[in-house]
Amino acid sequence: MSRTHVNCEVNGDAVDFLTEDGESLLNALRDELGLIGAKEGCGTGDCGACSVIMNGRLQCACLIFAPEADGAAITTCEGLASADELHPLQQCFLEGAALQCGICTPGFLIAAKALLDENPDPTETEVRYALAGNLCRCTGYDKIVRSVLEAAVQIRTPA
Amino acid sequence: MKYAAPTTIDEARTLLAGDAGAIVFAGATDVVPQMRAGRPEPSMVIDLKKIDRLMSVSLDGDTWQVGAAAPSSALTSNAAFAADFPGLTEAAGLIGSDQIQNRSSLGGNLCNASPAADSVPALVVNDAVAVIAAADGERRVPVADVVTGPGQTSLAHDEIVVCFELARPAGGTSDAYLRLIPRTEMDIAVVGAGVRLTLDDSGNVSAAAVALGAVAPTVVRVPAAEAALVGSSLDDTALAAAAAAASDACNPIDDKRGTINYRRQVAGVLTRRAAGIAADRIRTRNGQNGAS
Amino acid sequence: MSTTEAPPSTGTNGNGASGYRWVGTRPVRHDGLDKVAGKARYAADLNLPGMLYGHILRSPHPHARIVSIDTSAAEGMPGVKAVVTGADFPEAPPKGATRNLMCTVIARDTVLYSGHAVAAVAASTRREAKAAAEAIEVTYELLPHVLNISDAMADDAPVLHDNLFTRGVEPRPTEPSNIAARTVYERGDVEQGFAEADIVIEREFSTQAVHQGYIEPHACVVDCDQEGKAVIWASSQGHFMVRSSTATVLGWDTSRIKVIPAEIGGGFGGKTTIYIEPVAALLSTKSGRPVKIVMSREDVFRATGPAPGAIIKMKVGARDDGTITTAKAWLAYENGAFQGIAAMLGCMCVVSAYTLDHLYVEGFDVVLNRPVNVAYRAPSAPAAAFAMDSMVDEIAERVGIDPIDLRIQNCPSQGDPTPYGPKWPMIGLRECLEAIRDSDHYQSELPEGQGRGVASGFWFNIGEASSATVNLNENGTATVITGSPDIGGSRASMALMAAEELGLDVHLIQPVVGDTEVVGFTDVTEGSRATFATGMAVVEACRDLKEQLRKRAAKTWDCDVEEVEWVDGSAVHGPGEQEPLTLAAITGNAKRTGGPLGATASLNARGAGPAFSVQVADVSVDQETGRVTVERYTTAQDAGTAIHPSYVEGQMQGGVVQGIGWALNEEYIYSDDGNLENPGFLDYRIPVASDLPMIETCIVEVPNPSHPYGVRGVGEVGIVPPLPVMANAVADATGVRISDLPLSPPRVLEALTAAES
């Protein structure tokens, strides 16, 4: 089967890949670009483990046909940190023990980033609803929610 | 399977007309899970998100035009739209997660033809009209007439819902949508209830629309509940009568999401509560207007 | 190693003020950065050159004889490199655990549940593999099926296995049935107990099968070479188990197989067995290429991991003063398609949180046409606790005693007999009850309109075999290699214990999970055993190293080793004639004092400390829709000693929330034709963030005398109390007691409506 050539920007880099039209962006990111941070937990948009930000909007990469990404700008978990510093969310997740098995962590970080980009001072309830599309089976969400709230404080008041 | 992203409605219709196995999509939030489960197996998926008119949300005189492929988040983040249609905006904001709402569309929610679609009861009570691109030009169909049964619509294969037209509500009018789900998010409605009310100057109901989701093969409009509300001051008797009428109007099934009895019972409860919310919205707005 | 003396009681609620320098602190976990950066490699993240994708064809029927399988069409399809069916695998023995494993991996002549693996294809792409698998033609002869306990136990039930005769019944049955085993525990005379009781309550309870719900589907990559060796990258709770189980299913020698543990994306017991590795291995052997198999979420639900549903009938007797004297319990647990020990475990747990003079507990393990049970966090205990702790709540209400006080009044202590035989060692149930009683939550006034529920839970915890190797590096750092997959932060705990022993900064220690060829045999990470048993091996290896370090110092100083002490990471000369030698100084000089320093310990850990948890919740119930909202939740759990308190809390919170899910909305829903109707996260409703409040934790530390740091293990017991906690809270809020789970809105509303009329 012939494959489609897709050009896009991922984490600030211009990239291109070949894909079958019916393939998901998630598989393209993982298999063609080697960006394994986004995970497939369900393939149906119910778990959020594949969350990415595409053209400024939080989405499940498993629901995106790979060719849709042509011309798009995408941020994945791998794009959060700078060369010498973790994103405050990443640092707060580490210090707050917000991950156990870690499989959902990239999706939570991306969803939390999308939230804080929009709403830098969310309430606990707002955090919980904003993260409702991301399933975690290990933590009971407690430490995740606390870590997002802590990161929000740190981002608002840089040291 | 091919992917196509036309930039005009004509182009999309031509692609659709030329391939009996082609389907259109906006967010694919239903289509992808269905494809994974084996049905449908389209030969082509036509992405409607590159067509400007299908993506725009705009106020044209006294009519809102909501692009059929515009994501739910385009509504929930539009303060002017949300002020006119708080219930419909709520319904759009209840569909799945933030991730889903950045893709899911009113057009997709309607054409997927699930009895449980959240936005459809809210569209119906607001007398929304679907603008459909057809072979011989555009036709306008009340939203209530688009879905004919679970998974079935009145659209021909080569027809596309372009947008929804919603007349701005008259003064003293507002809407509300409530649904029952077991969790707080991420579920499909077990019961959904949309209510729109108009209150006259004395606070009595002068017009009412009630529509229920997930309690019958298609969304159910409930004239008896509307009649019970109209002319009332939304007193307990009227609300109870409306609730009873809503329960009676249900023709539900037992399934993995709920039982017949449960759906009947809760349809009444949600109708009553949604009517209360819609009325409160009108009163609050009137209060604000009075104060200003 | 001394295990006879009790370690110091810390009782610090995990705040690290225990006299330990490292144990009880909360360092950032060593594997954390990879996980927040998206770099950590789980099994599905590995791609090898030339790799094929495997796809497994599964039965659409719950019970059928396989008449024939025609793979010819599939073999001719594009990209297809190998096809296997049950006939390609060694013949299974007629019965027993080996048959159950072999026939779970792939069906032979009979499929026993919808989703049972029947055949598999390896092809160049996922799409090609799936298309080819679907082109395999299987002819089935449908057989009648049974999906629930009552139907399966009926006299005229269709029988799954014609060679299954109930164990534990005398005389031995002459007809096969679906009742695999009967278990009985008894003490005293229950009839006398009921006759003497002031209050006797009799109730029947039911719970539904649930899934562990790990977010990572099962995945593996297998690469077999032309010499018959196989390398398996797999996500599991035990890579030595993957090695032995794969060898068993394939009839291979274990030495042919090397298993490299990938990061594991959640297990909760569900990854203590295998499903796909032998299939991938055979496809790889046939094709000469690496093969990756990743289960879909749908397959995960249809073919892996149920924790069983159960029916429990209980009769409990108590005196007016609140003393619970007598319990009679009848428990039947689903086993899935092959026999297990679910009911036996339920029997052992059902009254364990109470002292009783008279008890008679009878359990039945029942096979039916559902996937085979797999462990799920304190397996069988939640349903048992749901029954017993619901009844205890009712007794507390009847006698007018606070439910916590009543539990304290009836709780066992060290030396009391367990229901299943031995005497209780040092346990912390009373301390957990007191911790909840004294908590801010329990002391707070219940908000208007809400209900409050409490319950307790028990789990055994286990020891089993573990190995650890600790190598000291030339720069004074240490590498700790264990064979326990880390499913929730155990590497950090290993490093903390090593740091404490060696007196080394925890960040100078690199904890590693070693593959089957670099570390000694280690049992599965299950039974809350990793920090307990593998931790014990780490401590033992470190103590060996400390001896070696003292000897090196003695050699350097040319003194008697008895004159050297190991203090805070340095060798100290007792008589004080030498400057202390740091660990780095010794390892830097190791080549001149006898070579590199390393130690290995392999052990069978004895003396696992039983775990108890006590929990309290406040809920509100929408009386018109039956929706239950958890408003506040507090859990107390005896950790023995919290090595890394943050991850102890995490285990407690995670267990609680899984239990809340089980109590409120999770359940397998089967259609009459035997197919699972909710094989996805849309309709299999695990709790989401907005469903929950914060889960307040209270770590109780009653040290386990058998572990050098007092560890009990914390992974499991947290899931036990939430089922009765939720039921008791709903009863308090509504006045209506519901004995069937889940407490979903339709069920609650039905009960409220029935109570009204």
Side-chain angles (χ1 to χ4, degrees):
Chain A
M1 174 174 281
S2 68
R3 309 215 304 166
T4 298
H5 187 202
V6 175
N7 289 282
C8 57
E9 185 190 295
V10 178
N11 299 328
D13 295 340
V15 298
D16 66 324
F17 57 85
L18 292 173
T19 181
E20 289 188 4
D21 276 10
E23 199 55 273
S24 67
L25 175 63
L26 175 60
N27 281 342
L29 289 170
R30 292 171 52 81
D31 294 344
E32 308 302 330
L33 300 177
L35 293 166
I36 57 166
K39 310 294 183 191
E40 181 170 308
C42 67
T44 50
D46 297 310
C47 81
C50 65
S51 295
V52 298
I53 296 172
M54 185 162 96
N55 294 336
R57 292 207 306 253
L58 176 70
Q59 304 181 45
C60 289
C62 73
L63 295 178
I64 302 173
F65 292 107
E68 284 185 57
D70 196 45
I74 296 163
T75 303
T76 71
C77 173
E78 288 91 337
L80 290 179
S82 64
D84 56 356
E85 206 173 28
L86 292 175
H87 188 280
L89 277 163
Q90 293 171 309
Q91 194 60 42
C92 289
F93 268 51
L94 283 180
E95 287 167 6
L99 53 143
Q100 284 178 33
C101 82
I103 195 89
C104 69
T105 306
F108 268 99
L109 289 166
I110 286 289
K113 179 185 181 334
L115 166 67
L116 299 186
D117 286 350
E118 285 266 310
N119 177 1
D121 190 9
T123 64
E124 180 195 330
T125 300
E126 285 170 339
V127 171
R128 288 185 178 277
Y129 276 86
L131 299 180
N134 294 77
L135 299 181
C136 170
R137 193 63 158 171
C138 291
T139 64
Y141 304 103
D142 181 299
K143 292 184 190 302
I144 293 175
V145 173
R146 288 179 201 274
S147 297
V148 172
L149 289 167
E150 173 60 25
V153 171
Q154 291 188 13
I155 293 169
R156 290 199 307 274
T157 53
Chain B
M1 196 203 80
K2 286 202 188 72
Y3 166 89
T7 54
T8 66
I9 293 167
D10 282 349
E11 202 186 332
R13 278 205 53 259
T14 305
L15 286 166
L16 202 49
D19 185 343
I23 60 170
V24 296
F25 78 96
T29 56
D30 288 311
V31 166
V32 165
Q34 287 162 3
M35 285 171 62
R36 280 184 72 103
R39 281 181 61 193
E41 291 183 278
S43 50
M44 184 190 299
V45 290
I46 302 170
D47 187 350
L48 300 176
K49 295 193 293 296
K50 301 277 174 13
I51 306 172
D52 290 342
R53 190 171 161 209
L54 271 78
M55 292 297 282
S56 75
V57 177
S58 61
L59 183 59
D60 182 9
D62 274 342
T63 302
W64 280 96
Q65 308 259 355
V66 179
S72 300
S73 54
L75 299 180
T76 54
S77 62
N78 186 324
F81 182 86
D84 277 355
F85 300 104
L88 175 55
T89 307
E90 257 161 11
L94 286 171
I95 300 170
S97 58
D98 287 2
Q99 285 91 329
I100 298 298
Q101 286 164 32
N102 280 326
R103 290 183 68 79
S104 63
S105 64
L106 294 189
N109 202 220
L110 178 65
C111 293
N112 183 53
S114 161
D118 283 306
S119 67
V120 181
L123 284 166
V124 167
V125 295
N126 284 299
D127 296 323
V129 170
V131 178
I132 296 169
D136 50 0
E138 288 183 355
R139 61 191 181 96
R140 284 170 164 70
V141 179
V143 162
D145 296 338
V146 173
V147 178
T148 55
Q152 290 173 337
T153 70
S154 57
L155 267 64
H157 172 69
D158 63 350
E159 293 184 329
I160 297 169
V161 177
V162 173
C163 65
F164 297 94
E165 291 179 347
L166 286 145
R168 288 197 72 189
T173 300
S174 194
D175 68 339
Y177 175 79
L178 290 175
R179 68 171 183 180
L180 190 292
I181 55 172
R183 293 181 291 188
T184 48
E185 285 277 322
M186 301 305 289
D187 291 330
I188 303 292
V190 181
V191 180
V195 174
R196 183 169 88 157
L197 297 178
T198 305
L199 301 188
D200 63 21
D201 291 344
S202 56
N204 291 329
V205 178
S206 58
V210 176
L212 303 173
V215 296
T218 61
V219 165
V220 178
R221 184 88 185 240
V222 193
E226 295 164 2
L229 295 171
V230 171
S232 80
S233 60
L234 289 170
D235 51 288
D236 290 349
T237 311
L239 287 170
S247 291
D248 285 347
C250 297
N251 178 24
I253 55 169
D254 282 326
D255 69 6
K256 61 191 171 189
R257 292 172 188 147
T259 60
I260 291 171
N261 282 340
Y262 186 74
R263 289 184 157 117
R264 277 191 205 286
Q265 220 169 327
V266 170
V269 173
L270 297 188
T271 298
R272 194 189 73 228
R273 290 181 182 179
I277 293 169
D280 283 346
R281 284 181 172 148
I282 298 165
R283 291 179 194 127
T284 304
R285 195 183 307 149
N286 288 348
Q288 284 166 351
N289 290 347
S292 62
Chain C
M1 182 183 69
S2 163
T3 57
T4 49
E5 271 177 57
S9 176
T10 53
T12 58
N13 197 16
N15 65 11
S18 60
Y20 293 128
R21 179 159 173 212
W22 294 105
V23 163
T25 63
R26 302 173 185 246
V28 166
R29 60 196 279 174
H30 300 68
D31 54 313
L33 193 130
D34 277 356
K35 286 177 174 159
V36 298
K39 291 178 186 169
R41 287 200 174 262
Y42 300 79
D45 296 335
L46 179 72
N47 288 328
L48 293 178
M51 187 182 78
L52 306 176
Y53 292 90
H55 190 97
I56 295 176
L57 179 70
R58 296 178 182 279
S59 168
H61 307 297
H63 197 192
R65 195 172 70 81
I66 299 172
V67 177
S68 64
I69 303 178
D70 182 354
T71 61
S72 53
E75 279 161 20
M77 287 179 64
V80 173
K81 309 289 184 191
V83 180
V84 297
T85 71
D88 295 290
F89 289 76
E91 200 173 325
K95 62 192 299 185
T98 300
R99 176 181 179 81
N100 299 351
L101 174 67
M102 292 176 82
C103 293
T104 298
V105 168
I106 196 155
R108 307 308 159 100
D109 10 292
T110 309
V111 292
L112 292 165
Y113 50 93
S114 171
H116 203 159
V118 170
V121 173
S124 301
T125 68
R126 291 184 187 86
R127 188 178 49 77
E128 287 168 340
K130 181 166 184 277
E134 286 165 357
I136 295 171
E137 286 183 28
V138 185
T139 306
Y140 295 101
E141 178 193 330
L142 300 193
L143 300 170
H145 59 269
V146 280
L147 294 168
N148 64 57
I149 289 171
S150 309
D151 292 349
M153 291 180 84
D155 287 340
D156 58 349
V159 169
L160 269 71
H161 306 283
D162 58 14
N163 60 355
L164 184 64
F165 299 89
T166 310
R167 274 189 294 111
V169 176
E170 291 300 332
R172 185 174 183 272
T174 53
E175 295 294 321
S177 77
N178 296 321
I179 303 170
R182 172 177 172 271
T183 303
V184 174
Y185 292 100
E186 59 181 313
R187 179 194 308 150
D189 179 343
V190 286
E191 294 315 322
Q192 183 198 331
F194 288 128
E196 293 169 4
D198 299 314
I199 299 166
V200 176
I201 300 176
E202 200 166 357
R203 298 277 180 266
E204 180 170 338
F205 300 87
S206 71
T207 63
Q208 295 300 315
V210 295
H211 195 277
Q212 296 83 356
Y214 32 81
I215 306 303
E216 178 204 28
H218 299 257
C220 71
V221 177
V222 183
D223 189 7
C224 296
D225 67 18
Q226 286 71 10
E227 292 179 338
K229 297 247 177 166
V231 181
I232 301 176
W233 289 263
S235 159
S236 81
Q237 288 176 243
H239 38 295
F240 288 89
M241 174 279 298
V242 172
R243 184 177 69 170
S244 59
S245 296
T246 302
T248 298
V249 171
L250 294 173
W252 288 5
D253 192 288
T254 51
S255 61
R256 285 173 64 179
I257 302 170
K258 169 182 180 169
V259 183
I260 300 174
E263 292 293 339
I264 170 175
F268 318 109
K271 291 176 183 167
T272 57
T273 188
I274 57 162
Y275 300 96
I276 54 178
E277 288 79 0
V279 179
L282 216 50
L283 289 168
S284 177
T285 301
K286 269 197 161 185
S287 62
R289 306 267 287 268
V291 173
K292 179 194 239 180
I293 295 181
V294 180
M295 281 179 126
S296 67
R297 177 55 53 185
E298 184 181 352
D299 287 352
V300 169
F301 275 112
R302 289 178 70 209
T304 75
I311 296 174
I312 300 178
K313 301 172 192 173
M314 285 206 80
K315 189 174 171 184
V316 177
R319 290 204 293 266
D320 281 336
D321 69 357
T323 307
I324 304 171
T325 60
T326 312
K328 187 175 180 184
W330 181 100
L331 307 89
Y333 278 72
E334 297 165 0
N335 280 190
F338 296 105
Q339 70 198 78
I341 57 166
M344 188 190 87
L345 292 173
C347 288
M348 294 169 82
C349 294
V350 64
V351 293
S352 283
Y354 301 92
T355 49
L356 296 167
D357 294 332
H358 311 285
L359 65 95
Y360 182 87
V361 179
E362 184 180 28
F364 296 90
D365 276 299
V366 182
V367 298
L368 30 60
N369 294 110
R370 293 176 176 228
V372 187
N373 282 5
V374 190
Y376 180 26
R377 230 174 190 148
S380 300
F386 170 54
M388 183 63 184
D389 265 54
S390 291
M391 300 196 69
V392 169
D393 219 51
E394 222 178 316
I395 290 167
E397 208 180 305
R398 290 271 287 271
V399 299
I401 296 177
D402 172 273
I404 294 278
D405 290 340
L406 185 92
R407 285 173 170 85
I408 291 174
Q409 188 182 335
N410 288 284
C411 88
S413 312
Q414 185 170 8
D416 288 338
T418 63
Y420 49 91
K423 292 193 186 320
W424 288 113
M426 189 188 285
I427 53 173
L429 172 56
R430 178 182 295 272
E431 288 78 358
C432 288
L433 286 161
E434 289 167 352
I436 288 296
R437 181 194 63 196
D438 300 340
S439 66
D440 289 347
H441 182 170
Y442 202 69
Q443 294 297 323
S444 71
E445 197 177 328
L446 182 65
E448 175 81 26
Q450 295 183 14
R452 178 169 289 171
V454 299
S456 44
F458 154 74
W459 184 246
F460 308 88
N461 292 346
I462 58 171
E464 296 189 333
S466 282
S467 298
T469 295
V470 181
N471 292 321
L472 299 183
N473 302 310
E474 62 273 29
N475 63 348
T477 62
T479 308
V480 174
I481 310 166
T482 72
S484 289
D486 178 354
I487 59 177
S490 62
R491 268 169 292 201
S493 297
M494 302 305 157
L496 281 165
M497 286 182 276
E500 193 69 47
E501 285 296 321
L502 297 172
L504 204 54
D505 188 307
V506 72
H507 299 291
L508 298 179
I509 295 172
Q510 184 60 38
V512 176
V513 183
D515 68 49
T516 53
E517 291 181 350
V518 307
V519 68
F521 180 89
T522 300
D523 273 315
V524 170
T525 296
E526 64 181 359
S528 303
R529 63 175 289 279
T531 303
F532 169 69
T534 305
M536 208 184 266
V538 169
V539 169
E540 196 168 293
C542 287
R543 289 181 179 178
D544 180 339
L545 275 173
K546 282 195 289 189
E547 289 306 300
Q548 295 182 40
L549 287 160
R550 286 172 59 222
K551 285 178 189 157
R552 299 298 178 94
K555 192 167 184 181
T556 304
W557 292 331
D558 194 20
C559 69
D560 194 308
V561 69
E562 298 306 319
E563 292 175 17
V564 182
E565 287 179 70
W566 190 257
V567 182
D568 285 343
S570 293
V572 176
H573 191 232
E577 293 159 11
Q578 304 282 353
E579 283 298 303
L581 279 172
T582 64
L583 187 145
I586 298 172
T587 56
N589 199 33
K591 281 184 183 167
R592 283 185 287 276
T593 58
L597 289 116
T600 288
S602 288
L603 51 78
N604 206 18
R606 304 276 180 200
F612 286 91
S613 175
V614 178
Q615 303 175 5
V616 55
D618 298 348
V619 305
S620 55
V621 179
D622 184 330
Q623 306 271 344
E624 290 186 317
T625 66
R627 275 192 86 255
V628 176
T629 301
V630 184
E631 305 284 358
R632 187 171 182 188
Y633 208 107
T634 302
T635 175
Q637 184 176 324
D638 178 14
T641 297
I643 301 295
H644 192 309
S646 294
Y647 289 101
V648 171
E649 292 161 0
Q651 291 293 320
M652 293 166 68
Q653 293 164 333
V656 163
V657 169
Q658 287 184 318
I660 291 173
W662 198 341
L664 294 186
N665 282 308
E666 292 181 36
E667 61 178 321
Y668 276 43
I669 303 169
Y670 277 93
S671 62
D672 290 343
D673 65 2
N675 278 294
L676 187 61
E677 290 201 323
N678 57 337
F681 284 133
L682 183 63
D683 284 304
Y684 184 88
R685 304 181 190 99
I686 77 173
V688 300
S690 48
D691 293 343
L692 298 158
M694 294 298 185
I695 309 298
E696 298 161 51
T697 57
C698 180
I699 301 175
V700 172
E701 297 186 296
V702 177
N704 172 12
S706 301
H707 185 276
Y709 289 104
V711 168
R712 283 178 190 274
V714 294
E716 291 170 286
V717 74
I719 199 176
V720 181
L723 282 65
V725 163
M726 286 292 110
N728 291 341
V730 168
D732 190 47
T734 64
V736 179
R737 200 161 269 289
I738 304 174
S739 53
D740 301 299
L741 296 186
L743 301 171
S744 59
R747 170 156 292 133
V748 172
L749 188 62
E750 191 184 4
L752 296 180
T753 308
E756 242 172 56
S757 58

